[in-house]
Amino acid sequence: VEARGVVDVGDFLEAHALIREGADPFGAVDLARGQRLVDLAAGDVLHRGTEHAEHPFFGQVPSVLTVHNAGYQGHFTRDALPDLGLRTAQAALEWYGLLNLLQGGLRFADEVATVSPSHACELRTEDGGFGLHETFGALGERFTGILNGIDVDAWNPGCDPLIPCAYSVDDLTGKARCKAEFQRRNGLAIDPAVPLFAMSARLVEQKGFDLVLGSKILARRDAQWAILGEGEPRYRDALAHWAAQAPQHVTCQFTFVEDDEHRLLAAADGLLMPSLYEPCGLTQMRAQRYGALPIVRRVGGLADTVEHGVTGFVFDRYAPDALAEAVGAAIRLHRERERWTARVREAMTRDFGWGGAVRHYDALYEGALTRRRALSGTRGGPPRVEREVERAAEREGRPVCVA
């Protein structure tokens, strides 16, 4: 469940009303009306830990809060406390004169996760914790980072129906054809010797567009640049200006369609992800599957998934000249075809599937069950939860793990 910066109070209160009415959290109607109730978003964890701590069902339900982007926390003024149904939670929510739902959720969750190991470390620091570093740090072993995965079947250049020509790590001929077709369709000069760098991201500060524009890399004529994304007008206008100035070298599409990202990555030689921060990131994993070497800043999931000098290019400082230096290194290496191709093949072999994450989440959920049982003083969880766990195990043909 992602922590959101702007909370829909109506949706939140509806979910709270379902609890007050004694609604069955596993019922189909309730799943449709109050998914937030079952998902245990930060506010729901708070209800479980405060208003419903003694509830015969909800007081015993284990909770795992996964924080995707801690920059979005759910801030309210103090006068919203009665409307949120959290009359006894003010002390847990107090944050610089506001109420902070994410902070409260972190304090009451049995286990907390974020979406990469490096980002878990960052959130414990003053620079990377978005004002909650002390709260994250106080969680101790209850807080972990589990790297997201990608759908390796959907993102497979060997059988992707969305790209002009299939290719594989053993035969990259099709990638060259994908690049030529992309260049043709977007008005770029058709030249296999010129590296094509892609960027697929929301047009927001977090994604590093200030570095892209400040570095003047788009002025280089020994490379081509393709931008896919939508967002803030200031970035859109600046990028459109560059595309108008050099249409054979810069192309932009300001409506995001995932199908287009498939074609973009199949064509690209490299990917730009100079993020200010990046909890996990998926595009750098998809890019490597498609043989586009990422140029990334060493933050969050980018640091965990791109190996400098092996599968991509990694820089540290959030500064335009640091990005420009990394791009220059990539352009120089691209001229050495054998060395470049060796790195492309290495990147394409990396496993970014969900298998490892699933194993880690299984262990995390078991830990939450164990912690809740210890706190509630019971041998097992609520009977209805126990039955749901048993049924899920039976459906999947695995042993029942409920003690």
Side-chain angles (χ1 to χ4, degrees):
V1 179
E2 297 182 9
R4 293 170 174 82
V6 179
V7 177
D8 185 329
V9 178
D11 175 53
F12 190 95
L13 295 178
E14 181 183 9
H16 180 51
L18 290 174
I19 299 176
R20 291 201 308 269
E21 295 164 6
D24 176 358
F26 294 102
V29 174
D30 295 331
L31 283 172
R33 292 177 57 210
Q35 187 65 49
R36 300 273 305 281
L37 181 152
V38 179
D39 285 344
L40 291 175
D44 302 316
V45 175
L46 272 165
H47 275 281
R48 197 289 314 273
T50 56
E51 309 298 320
H52 303 284
E54 304 303 320
H55 191 283
F57 179 90
F58 292 104
Q60 298 180 54
V61 174
S63 62
V64 176
L65 178 61
T66 299
V67 180
H68 173 69
N69 191 332
Y72 300 88
Q73 300 176 2
H75 297 157
F76 291 90
T77 55
R78 290 172 177 168
D79 57 6
L81 198 65
D83 291 333
L84 294 172
L86 294 167
R87 294 174 178 81
T88 64
Q90 183 167 345
L93 293 169
E94 286 282 355
W95 186 80
Y96 300 103
L98 294 171
L99 305 180
N100 188 319
L101 283 187
L102 178 57
Q103 175 179 269
L106 294 173
R107 289 177 171 174
F108 283 101
D110 293 304
E111 299 284 347
V112 177
T114 191
V115 290
S116 70
S118 288
H119 192 54
C121 295
E122 293 168 350
L123 288 173
R124 293 183 171 100
T125 69
E126 186 172 357
D127 288 340
F130 300 94
L132 290 176
H133 54 285
E134 293 181 354
T135 305
F136 281 111
L139 293 170
E141 293 182 354
R142 290 167 51 211
F143 181 40
T144 189
I146 301 175
L147 188 69
N148 279 341
I150 62 173
D151 186 337
V152 294
D153 294 323
W155 294 91
N156 180 357
C159 58
D160 189 340
L162 298 173
I163 64 178
C165 188
Y167 59 95
S168 69
V169 66
D170 297 317
D171 183 0
L172 294 170
T173 306
K175 183 167 180 64
R177 294 176 182 170
C178 289
K179 178 178 178 179
E181 176 63 11
F182 183 89
Q183 290 171 323
R184 184 189 68 79
R185 292 176 69 92
N186 289 277
L188 301 174
I190 300 176
D191 187 347
V194 174
L196 172 61
F197 294 101
M199 189 168 182
S200 178
R202 289 177 294 114
L203 306 184
V204 295
E205 180 186 18
Q206 179 204 337
K207 298 301 180 180
F209 281 99
D210 290 321
L211 298 193
V212 172
L213 296 168
S215 65
K216 301 295 195 295
I217 56 173
L218 300 184
R220 295 192 65 148
R221 295 298 174 257
D222 53 355
Q224 293 175 342
W225 316 91
I227 312 295
L228 173 64
E230 52 191 49
E232 296 182 26
R234 59 176 175 142
Y235 294 123
R236 184 188 63 221
D237 294 345
L239 293 166
H241 171 77
W242 281 108
Q245 292 292 311
Q248 287 197 316
H249 287 273
V250 183
T251 182
C252 301
Q253 178 179 318
F254 298 124
T255 54
F256 178 81
V257 179
E258 189 172 275
D259 289 3
D260 292 329
E261 184 173 282
H262 284 251
R263 289 182 280 270
L264 177 65
L265 296 180
D269 296 296
L271 173 79
L272 301 178
M273 286 191 74
S275 302
L276 177 61
Y277 67 94
E278 195 67 60
C280 178
L282 300 177
T283 312
Q284 81 280 7
M285 295 188 246
R286 296 168 177 170
Q288 289 174 78
R289 290 275 291 173
Y290 281 66
L293 301 184
I295 301 173
V296 305
R297 186 163 170 262
R298 197 187 308 275
V299 289
L302 301 180
D304 295 327
T305 54
V306 180
E307 189 173 353
H308 180 64
V310 180
T311 64
F313 305 83
V314 184
F315 65 97
D316 292 286
R317 290 183 300 112
Y318 189 74
D321 65 298
L323 172 60
E325 184 177 340
V327 167
I331 292 174
R332 290 190 296 274
L333 185 68
H334 188 265
R335 296 172 186 143
E336 302 179 44
R337 298 307 301 160
E338 288 189 9
R339 291 183 62 202
W340 180 272
T341 301
R343 293 194 188 183
V344 167
R345 295 187 191 280
E346 179 62 32
M348 292 178 70
T349 64
R350 295 299 168 100
D351 180 10
F352 295 118
W354 277 100
V358 168
R359 291 189 292 273
H360 286 299
Y361 275 111
D362 275 345
L364 188 69
Y365 297 148
E366 287 293 339
L369 285 165
T370 300
R371 182 179 299 277
R372 181 51 39 187
R373 289 166 182 161
L375 291 174
S376 63
T378 61
R379 183 168 176 266
R384 186 61 182 274
V385 174
E386 301 283 300
R387 289 198 297 274
E388 292 298 323
V389 171
E390 292 171 1
R391 290 170 185 165
E394 290 169 0
R395 286 194 300 270
E396 297 172 14
R398 56 182 172 81
V400 177
C401 298
V402 177

